[in-house]
Amino acid sequence: MRLWSLHPSLLDRRGLVACWRESLLAQKVLQGRTKGYRNHPQLTRFRRMVDPVASVGAYLAGLADEADAREFTFNRGLVVVPPSTAVPPARMTVTTGQLDHEWAHLLAKTAGRDPAWHDRLAAADRVPHPLFDVVPGPVEEWEVLGDR
């Protein structure tokens, strides 16, 4: 599961579709509707929020907005926004180190599967998902790194 902190516009087609599917799975996990993935580290930052399901719903909305911009069809009806959410969920933070880590990871993934997209990324700015505010710091402690 990879819930990118990077802006959805930076994800190639396969990355955007995979992120949508994995975020829908995250939504089910946070609702307690699955047996697997309950302890997945990518969910840590959503669980820290006052309303984790609303937060992942806002995350999914950002992905759906990008899908709309590309004329893809993502079913927004699958996004759960609890009735108790009268106001948008609180913004989330992501560290500069996490963005750098994900940027390198995305570049490595696209180099093999979509060289044209990879070349486009080389000239792009590292912009976060619309839900996130960037703060200084290292790679997030929940990120799984091979050398930790």
Side-chain angles (χ1 to χ4, degrees):
M1 180 183 294
R2 169 61 61 187
L3 304 178
W4 296 94
S5 305
L6 295 166
H7 196 283
S9 66
L10 298 171
L11 302 177
D12 61 322
R13 179 187 54 80
R14 287 176 62 187
L16 183 62
V17 171
C19 192
W20 174 255
R21 280 192 338 264
E22 292 165 2
S23 299
L24 287 171
L25 172 59
Q27 178 179 253
K28 283 185 180 182
V29 172
L30 293 170
Q31 290 177 285
R33 295 178 50 214
T34 65
K35 290 184 181 179
Y37 292 96
R38 289 182 297 190
N39 298 316
H40 199 286
Q42 289 275 327
L43 299 176
T44 300
R45 61 180 157 184
F46 291 98
R47 284 198 172 103
R48 290 179 182 156
M49 303 305 292
V50 171
D51 189 339
V53 176
S55 295
V56 80
Y59 181 86
L60 280 158
L63 298 175
D65 289 346
E66 178 59 26
D68 290 348
R70 296 190 202 184
E71 299 182 356
F72 296 170
T73 304
F74 284 7
N75 183 356
R76 287 179 185 264
L78 297 174
V79 178
V80 174
V81 181
S84 64
T85 307
V87 296
R91 294 194 50 81
M92 299 172 69
T93 59
V94 61
T95 62
T96 52
Q98 182 66 30
L99 278 181
D100 291 345
H101 170 73
E102 291 185 21
W103 184 254
H105 187 60
L106 182 60
L107 286 174
K109 283 192 159 292
T110 58
R113 72 181 180 208
D114 193 339
W117 192 268
H118 178 269
D119 292 346
R120 178 180 172 261
L121 284 180
D125 291 328
R126 294 175 211 182
V127 180
H129 183 287
L131 185 60
F132 294 106
D133 292 320
V134 181
V135 297
V139 174
E140 301 279 0
E141 79 280 352
W142 46 259
E143 181 66 64
V144 178
L145 298 174
D147 60 340
R148 277 198 205 178

